[in-house]
Amino acid sequence: QAPLVESGGGSVQAGGSLRLSCTTSGNMFTRGCMGWFRQDPGKEREGVARVDRDNGTSYEDSVKGRFTASINNAKNTLYLQMNNLKPEDTAMYYCAATWIYSNCHTRGPDGFPHWGRGTQVTVSS
């Protein structure tokens, strides 16, 4: 099991940008499906973006046009570039991964067996 480690969270004002990173020691990112999820206390974990091994991406409607997910395979790193951040984007952000490529862009949280510990993003108005 390859551990996932997120970084890059922080506090910004509305309209600002952050780039989250997720690294792994294995080559899961080159073979499977990866996702970015977020969760506020008391709420369900929701999918933000998914990236497959071919760098195909899909996004939750509220972040389309503002967030971009990508992979740097040489660095075993998954990114989430977040622009024009809004207070409602405030949450703990998690990266997740699975070796299974199929149905990548329709997978919910239960479809990802490997998770990082999360990085907090706080957006003030």
Side-chain angles (χ1 to χ4, degrees):
Q1 180 173 343
L4 305 176
V5 180
E6 302 100 335
S7 62
S11 297
V12 297
Q13 290 189 328
S17 298
L18 286 172
R19 188 176 77 159
L20 305 184
S21 299
C22 174
T23 59
T24 182
S25 58
N27 63 350
M28 192 184 312
F29 293 173
T30 67
R31 297 178 59 182
C33 171
M34 285 62 66
W36 284 102
F37 292 80
R38 63 188 180 187
Q39 188 170 21
D40 258 343
K43 295 184 179 179
E44 292 186 357
R45 190 166 296 189
E46 67 169 352
V48 175
R50 293 163 183 79
V51 188
D52 63 41
R53 65 187 182 190
D54 300 320
N55 253 312
T57 56
S58 58
Y59 300 93
E60 193 267 331
D61 285 346
S62 69
V63 307
K64 285 180 180 178
R66 300 189 298 122
F67 290 12
T68 303
S70 62
I71 304 171
N72 184 324
N73 287 324
K75 296 183 178 180
N76 287 335
T77 301
L78 171 70
Y79 299 103
L80 184 67
Q81 177 67 43
M82 305 186 295
N83 298 328
N84 191 21
L85 281 160
K86 302 177 180 181
E88 51 264 42
D89 295 319
T90 295
M92 184 72 79
Y93 282 71
Y94 299 88
C95 71
T98 173
W99 288 102
I100 301 172
Y101 171 73
S102 62
N103 302 316
C104 178
H105 298 284
T106 58
R107 286 180 176 268
D110 290 345
F112 293 87
H114 306 292
W115 290 83
R117 293 187 177 182
T119 184
Q120 179 67 38
V121 171
T122 303
V123 185
S124 58
S125 57

